[in-house]
Amino acid sequence: CSDAAREDLHPGHPHLNSQAESSTFEVFQALYEREYAERLKVASLMHSLAEVAEQKKAQRATLASRSGDETDDGFAVRGIFAMGMQLPDVISHESVVDMLKRMVADRERIHIDSFRRIIDEVVPILAAEPNIQLIEQDRRVVVVGDLHGSIQDLLLCFNSAGYPGEDINYVFNGDFVDRGECGVEVLAVILAFKMLYPTTVHLNRGNHEDMNVGRAYGFFDEIMSKYGSRAIYDLVGEELFTAIPLCTVIRDKAFIVHAGIPSLPGATIFHVGAIGRRGLKGTVAAQWDGRDPDGKRRQRPQSLRMLEDMLWSDPVAPHEADLDDFSEPNIKRGAGIVYGPKMIREWLQKINCMYMVRSHQCVESGSETLECGEGMACYTVFSASNYEGGFNQAALLVFEPGPGRPTVIRQRNFNPGPELALRNRRALVNLIAANKKRLRKGFAEVEMEKGS
């Protein structure tokens, strides 16, 4: 039901055939950029509410322990919430592949007990890894960008580049959940492969691996609709997301991170390695604002500032490559910075790499390249096609052993199903309604230009 094509990433990349599709993509991008900062405000509010809820939860647990009462752990579910695939006692490569194909073909979900079992087994593996994962490139490396709950695109990735195994490195570059319908399934498959191949499957944390962001962008709603359990959402947000490493380095070749590089003066790869990620449930420094119980204003930790830069920032567009030393706050997203080629070049020189790979942005052809000078380049790769009602392709980056730039595999799910089409129409209506004042102003300006 889907097609995929391999092509060289350099020097250029193709555009979609339809000019109408391209124009629609640009409209959606403009609207979603407007929406992002507003959603981030919601996420910050969720963070504040979560802090209050956490305090109350601790108080209830203390009272229960004093009275000797047993408390429900929240994982016991009944009725339709207790349905789903159960994994075998011994998880094998074949059982994970079968689970993935059933998720796509039959829209089956994984049983809550099996999902929890995967999380419980993989969290210690992830937590034991350093912030910066190092790959010695003696085999090919496949980089997968944002999937955002698209289980169909995950299957496409494996059909195009091969399934994870001992003979191939995979780097999943964050944003596994939110926006799409199958964040649980995407997580379950990737984590199961991480269990099977802990040294060749690598995960980087994205800005949506944040339990506060997940409440604003849909993952919380997905969990509740499938399992009706806040406990499983808390487990994912507090234990799993904070255990995921922050970046990956292919030795002497590429730095792979979800979004950007630290902007703090003097920041080095060693500072990144020292970030205490397990204590950072949120990914935005502004969420730290407020006061402690004793009334003292909290100071934003530098580690959170660096995490925000790495998970929320964007480079200048390829056609703006002449803005070499550009570095400004990322107003469109409300977090992180917008950075130019100079910052990328200086960072890569510090770590003896030639290329930076990041995701975080939906690009029309699935990937794009920002040339940074001295042979260095920054690649953006996005792996969810038809994202949020758009008409974008998805892509993978592939590094072969030895010198040379990566190649790209472009692909697109051509059979998204009626549910996606309906959701896309609803999303478009909601976006138009949320931005009607701006749209009216824009249309009025266009009409004035036509009349003049």
Side-chain angles (χ1 to χ4, degrees):
C1 65
S2 305
D3 295 330
R6 178 187 302 275
E7 38 194 359
D8 196 337
L9 237 184
H10 188 72
H13 46 263
H15 295 284
L16 298 180
N17 294 327
S18 168
Q19 186 175 0
E21 286 191 353
S22 181
S23 299
T24 303
F25 175 82
E26 292 172 3
V27 170
F28 267 86
Q29 281 297 95
L31 291 174
Y32 279 117
E33 284 173 356
R34 297 276 191 179
E35 179 200 27
Y36 228 113
E38 296 301 319
R39 291 256 193 169
L40 187 55
K41 292 177 183 176
V42 175
S44 296
L45 174 61
M46 293 296 185
H47 174 76
S48 301
L49 295 174
E51 284 188 324
V52 174
E54 212 168 277
Q55 293 172 1
K56 290 184 177 179
K57 181 179 177 182
Q59 291 171 356
R60 287 196 298 270
T62 301
L63 291 172
S65 64
R66 288 174 181 172
S67 63
D69 295 337
E70 292 187 6
T71 57
D72 182 4
D73 64 4
F75 292 102
V77 295
R78 299 176 180 82
I80 60 171
F81 296 132
M83 298 171 65
M85 287 181 285
Q86 291 273 14
L87 286 172
D89 292 338
V90 179
I91 299 175
S92 65
H93 181 99
E94 291 73 22
S95 64
V96 177
V97 172
D98 177 68
M99 175 177 68
L100 170 59
K101 291 181 176 179
R102 288 169 63 186
M103 287 172 171
V104 174
D106 303 326
R107 299 178 63 84
E108 289 192 55
R109 68 168 181 256
I110 187 171
H111 192 281
I112 188 173
D113 291 343
S114 292
F115 187 43
R116 183 185 179 186
R117 172 187 165 197
I118 290 173
I119 294 171
D120 287 342
E121 291 190 29
V122 82
V123 163
I125 298 173
L126 291 168
E129 294 178 328
N131 289 342
I132 309 157
Q133 304 165 95
L134 180 63
I135 296 177
E136 302 282 357
Q137 201 193 358
D138 54 354
R139 68 202 83 182
R140 73 181 341 208
V141 180
V142 179
V143 184
V144 181
D146 297 26
L147 285 163
H148 281 297
S150 177
I151 194 70
Q152 296 90 346
D153 282 300
L154 180 59
L155 179 59
L156 274 182
C157 291
F158 296 147
N159 287 341
S160 299
Y163 280 91
E166 300 293 348
D167 59 345
I168 183 172
N169 282 296
Y170 262 93
V171 180
F172 295 95
N173 202 24
D175 280 11
F176 315 115
V177 302
D178 281 336
R179 300 282 199 183
E181 296 178 335
C182 298
V184 167
E185 289 75 16
V186 168
L187 267 182
V189 171
I190 292 175
L191 296 178
F193 277 126
K194 176 66 178 177
M195 288 169 51
L196 292 174
Y197 308 109
T199 61
T200 59
V201 172
H202 310 273
L203 280 68
N204 290 340
R205 187 176 180 180
N207 63 308
H208 283 265
E209 277 69 69
D210 176 326
M211 64 187 303
N212 303 310
V213 173
R215 285 178 174 270
Y217 280 89
F219 187 53
F220 175 79
D221 293 334
E222 179 189 343
I223 289 281
M224 294 306 292
S225 69
K226 291 177 178 177
Y227 302 124
S229 169
R230 293 175 183 269
I232 194 73
Y233 184 78
D234 290 343
L235 178 67
V236 173
E238 296 175 4
E239 299 298 326
L240 175 62
F241 287 168
T242 60
I244 299 173
L246 306 182
C247 56
T248 303
V249 172
I250 305 175
R251 185 185 290 277
D252 299 331
K253 181 175 281 191
F255 174 71
I256 307 168
V257 66
H258 181 68
I261 48 185
S263 62
L264 286 172
T268 68
I269 197 75
F270 300 104
H271 293 100
V272 173
I275 293 173
R277 70 179 192 267
R278 292 291 277 156
L280 299 177
K281 298 177 186 178
T283 59
V284 180
Q287 294 178 355
W288 196 265
D289 290 348
R291 297 183 182 276
D292 291 323
D294 59 3
K296 293 182 179 179
R297 181 170 292 280
R298 289 179 290 194
Q299 297 295 316
R300 297 183 184 183
Q302 286 194 342
S303 59
L304 184 55
R305 168 77 181 279
M306 286 194 290
L307 182 69
E308 178 182 319
D309 285 344
M310 295 172 68
L311 271 55
W312 284 89
S313 300
D314 297 306
V316 298
H319 67 272
E320 300 171 324
D322 58 324
L323 300 174
D324 192 52
D325 60 352
F326 191 86
S327 178
E328 296 288 344
N330 198 337
I331 297 173
K332 288 181 179 179
R333 292 191 184 273
I337 63 167
V338 178
Y339 52 93
K342 182 180 178 181
M343 276 189 66
I344 300 169
R345 197 166 56 246
E346 291 178 346
W347 181 261
L348 292 176
Q349 288 169 344
K350 288 179 183 178
I351 59 176
N352 196 36
C353 286
M354 290 298 293
Y355 313 115
M356 175 173 162
V357 178
R358 40 94 61 186
S359 302
H360 193 48
Q361 282 178 292
C362 178
V363 290
E364 189 174 4
S365 59
S367 67
E368 66 180 18
T369 309
L370 172 65
E371 296 296 338
C372 300
E374 301 180 26
M376 299 179 182
C378 175
Y379 297 94
T380 295
V381 59
F382 196 85
S383 301
S385 61
N386 308 311
Y387 178 61
E388 281 289 289
F391 297 94
N392 65 289
Q393 291 176 292
L396 310 172
L397 284 189
V398 180
F399 287 92
E400 300 292 352
R405 292 191 171 216
T407 57
V408 65
I409 298 175
R410 286 190 172 85
Q411 56 194 24
R412 187 170 172 187
N413 177 22
F414 287 103
N415 187 24
E419 295 85 358
L420 179 61
L422 179 60
R423 192 172 74 248
N424 291 345
R425 287 196 295 271
R426 287 174 178 167
L428 179 57
V429 170
N430 290 336
L431 279 171
I432 292 173
N435 294 274
K436 59 184 179 183
K437 290 184 179 179
R438 297 188 184 101
L439 288 170
R440 284 173 182 163
K441 182 180 178 181
F443 288 140
E445 290 173 353
V446 171
E447 290 300 320
M448 287 179 64
E449 289 178 6
K450 285 182 178 180
S452 58

